[in-house]
Amino acid sequence: AEYAKAKFDDGERKYFEDTLMKLLPWVIDSEYEGIELDMDRIESLKPLIKSMLREIEKEVFDLYKEKMGEFTEFNLRSGDQTAKVLFEDLKLSLTKLTPSKNRYSVAAGDLESIRHENPIVGKLIEFNSLSTINSTFISGMEKHIHPKTFRVHPSFNQIITLTSRGSSSGPNIQNIPARDIQWKVIREIIIGDEVGHEIVAIDQ
């Protein structure tokens, strides 16, 4: 279905036929084979992640009280509530409008530009990153486990991204954090199938 919707010019068709179609058997085999996960490791991480999220949340509330002189609890997962705190209460510099233009963006990439204005911003970025890790690779991973193979079988997409890179979905197994050393443990939930085989990351 991914290819059926595509329209190519001559150069794109050559790339499609000479590269993408030749990779397709490998892609199909990879999806069929799936990936084994260390579910014991995932279970052991659940309380740790939950505790870390609570601690960051407490730090945000303490910083707010220190700045504003009063305690206000808000849902850190709510874009509307977070935007109110940052742009109305704390009067931080405005980020860009969201696509719906109903509020200013609190996405991590947009918050980076105002991180220096208040330590709460850095804590919110940290909270959002940890929440994503949790929902994708910890608490959210179980729903992707196949009931018969006990593996995840992601879809490996060849032409969805605008950068020409491959991507994966259901789950996005390629998005496992790599830069932060403390999240090396997340990468270790993936188990290689045979002794002597290694999992590698290759970028263009």
Side-chain angles (χ1 to χ4, degrees):
E2 180 185 344
Y3 296 127
K5 298 177 183 178
K7 295 181 179 179
F8 306 113
D9 59 30
D10 290 342
E12 291 169 337
R13 179 162 295 280
K14 179 175 175 58
Y15 172 64
F16 170 76
E17 293 174 349
D18 293 349
T19 302
L20 297 184
M21 288 303 292
K22 291 180 180 179
L23 286 172
L24 192 56
W26 177 86
V27 171
I28 294 171
D29 285 346
S30 298
E31 292 179 348
Y32 180 81
E33 186 70 18
I35 298 169
E36 184 179 358
L37 302 178
D38 187 340
M39 297 307 297
D40 290 337
R41 175 65 66 89
I42 290 176
E43 286 298 321
S44 70
L45 288 172
K46 285 182 179 180
L48 172 63
I49 299 288
K50 188 174 182 179
S51 175
M52 292 175 68
L53 286 170
R54 283 199 301 263
E55 181 61 28
I56 297 172
E57 186 178 56
K58 181 181 182 301
E59 290 175 352
V60 168
F61 295 154
D62 288 346
L63 287 168
Y64 181 93
K65 182 179 180 180
E66 180 182 322
K67 179 69 175 180
M68 302 298 294
E70 60 182 21
F71 174 75
T72 295
E73 184 172 321
F74 63 98
N75 184 355
L76 273 63
R77 293 182 174 86
S78 168
D80 290 341
Q81 293 182 37
T82 300
K84 178 184 180 303
V85 165
L86 295 181
F87 307 123
E88 295 181 24
D89 298 351
L90 298 175
K91 310 294 184 185
L92 301 185
S93 300
L94 300 178
T95 57
K96 69 181 182 182
L97 287 170
T98 59
S100 60
K101 300 188 184 302
N102 63 342
R103 64 170 170 80
Y104 293 97
S105 173
V106 292
D110 297 317
L111 290 182
E112 283 291 349
S113 64
I114 60 171
R115 181 196 281 265
H116 64 284
E117 295 187 16
N118 191 298
I120 282 180
V121 180
K123 289 298 176 182
L124 287 172
I125 293 172
E126 185 180 353
F127 184 89
N128 291 337
S129 174
L130 185 55
S131 293
T132 299
I133 289 170
N134 182 45
S135 62
T136 304
F137 302 110
I138 307 301
S139 63
M141 188 60 79
E142 291 178 348
K143 66 182 180 182
H144 297 292
I145 302 294
H146 193 281
K148 292 184 178 179
T149 66
F150 302 105
R151 292 167 169 253
V152 293
H153 296 266
S155 295
F156 293 106
N157 314 301
Q158 290 181 275
I159 62 173
I160 288 181
T161 66
L162 297 177
T163 61
S164 79
R165 293 176 176 177
S167 66
S168 65
S169 55
N172 182 0
I173 204 72
Q174 293 175 223
N175 202 33
I176 293 179
R179 295 181 182 177
D180 298 329
I181 189 64
Q182 67 266 37
W183 296 121
K184 182 177 182 291
V185 65
I186 303 296
R187 302 181 75 84
E188 293 173 353
I189 69 174
I190 298 178
I191 300 172
D193 282 348
E194 298 181 36
V195 175
H197 286 196
E198 296 183 357
I199 298 169
V200 299
I202 303 171
D203 203 347
Q204 63 188 41

